């Protein structure tokens, strides 16, 4: 596909927000569609966006490249399920030129793993080194109940294929009250036994998914206290600018992360922004304020309008977020779904 040539573009200033934070990490949702219907993420019957609203693969490449030109060093493709987007390997392939040029440190993805067996080799060939795979349970029936449409075997085969291809895997597990809370020790031992980090994620109040969110909410402070009774957890200092806090599990030697987006513990070091599959830029996962980048992308072939829109948006990046689960109304604090902004 035709690609935007960064090397012929004039030098551009890095993106620094009003609080002095360098924006070096971009997460891009490449589709709102998915082959699963996880209960905490989607309703069973979803209406997806019309194709014309989605950025084309060429537009996604141009958009990502514009951010790379402005100092973004890490790209994460997400969704929806990124690996169900038709032709997605051409995007990985074209973006890999920024790895080769040294402008990007990393291209990675977050996936449900269902298509990994098919794509692991190609991902590796396009310079991907690490993949986050979401997996909430090792019990096939429970897996089906949580994902509604997914098959555990297929995901496990995907993880096998990815490891065989030489990709480093991190497992993400959403902590769900009364659903998988009894499985965390087993999941930790399984993941660490295979050389994979595991991160537990607190369920977030995003999107109306037709079920009581309060029923799923399990505070990770409680999970951590319980795990502390079973394992020796040593606090680690590795902060990646991201929301995870890590501990080393003495018994397994592996790393365990905790992502608690409901508590304000990472906004100060936030280096990231997100773009949806329609080109809407969210400066903060927990705030509604957004900027449309599709219009400037489509308005001209040059990138001046796009850069101007990005600059204007970054100047509005808020200091932090303010998630609440609305207990009186049992409503999500934010109406958009996770598959739109990406995790
Ligand atoms: N489909 C891919 C996957 O599942 O990994 C990528 C997109 S998914 C939206 C990204 C991450 O967000 C997954 O780890 C998923 O478990 C997590 N997620 C989705 N909805 C969530 C919610 N309401 N609260 C917390 N995590 C959520
Ligand atoms: Fe799909 Fe990922 Fe959402 Fe599950 S969490 S429905 S796999 S986008």
């Amino acid at each position: 596909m035709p690609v935007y040539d960064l090397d012929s573009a004039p030098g551009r200033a890095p993106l620094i927000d009003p609080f002095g934070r360098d924006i070096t990490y971009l997460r891009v949702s490449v589709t709102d569609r998915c082959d699963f219907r996880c209960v905490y993420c989607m309703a069973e019957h979803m209406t997806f966006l019309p194709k014309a609203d989605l950025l084309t693969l060429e537009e996604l490449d141009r958009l990502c490249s514009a951010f790379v030109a402005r100092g973004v060093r890490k790209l994460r493709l997400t969704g929806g399920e990124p690996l169900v987007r038709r032709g997605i390997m051409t995007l990985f392939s074209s973006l890999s030129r920024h790895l080769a040029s040294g402008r990007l440190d990393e291209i990675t993805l977050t996936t449900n793993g269902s298509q990994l067996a098919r794509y692991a080799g190609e991902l590796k060939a396009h310079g991907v080194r690490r993949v986050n795979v979401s997996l909430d349970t090792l019990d096939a029936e429970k897996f089906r109940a949580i994902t509604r449409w997914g098959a555990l075997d297929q995901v496990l085969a995907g993880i096998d294929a990815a490891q065989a291809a030489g990709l480093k895997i991190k497992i993400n597990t959403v902590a769900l009250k009364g659903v998988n809370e009894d499985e965390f020790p087993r999941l930790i031992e399984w993941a660490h036994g295979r050389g994979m980090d595991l991160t537990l994620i607190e369920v977030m109040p995003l999107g109306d998914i037709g079920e009581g969110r309060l029923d799923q909410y399990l505070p990770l402070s409680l999970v951590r206290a319980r795990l502390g009774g079973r394992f020796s957890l040593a606090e680690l200092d590795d902060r990646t600018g991201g929301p995870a806090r890590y501990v080393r599990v003495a018994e397994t030697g592996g790393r365990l992360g905790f992502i608690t987006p409901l508590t304000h513990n990472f906004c100060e070091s936030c280096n990231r922004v997100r773009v949806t599959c329609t080109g809407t830029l969210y400066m903060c996962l927990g705030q509604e304020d957004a900027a449309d980048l599709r219009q400037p992308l489509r308005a001209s072939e040059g990138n001046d309008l796009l850069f101007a829109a990005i600059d204007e948006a970054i100047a509005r990046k808020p200091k932090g977020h303010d998630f609440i689960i609305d207990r009186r109304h049992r409503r999500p604090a934010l109406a958009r779904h996770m598959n739109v902004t990406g995790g």
Side-chain angles (χ1 to χ4, degrees), residues 181-182 184 218 220-231:
E181 56 183 312
D182 56 330
F184 300 147
L218 174 64
L220 286 190
S221 50
L222 181 66
V223 173
R224 190 180 160 150
R226 281 193 206 146
L227 289 173
R230 166 140 185 175
F231 298 110

Side-chain angles (χ1 to χ4, degrees), residues 234-249:
E235 194 88 36
L236 291 173
D237 229 9
D238 347 2
R239 300 298 301 270
T240 50
R245 286 187 186 281
Y246 290 99
V247 296
R248 174 82 56 200
V249 180

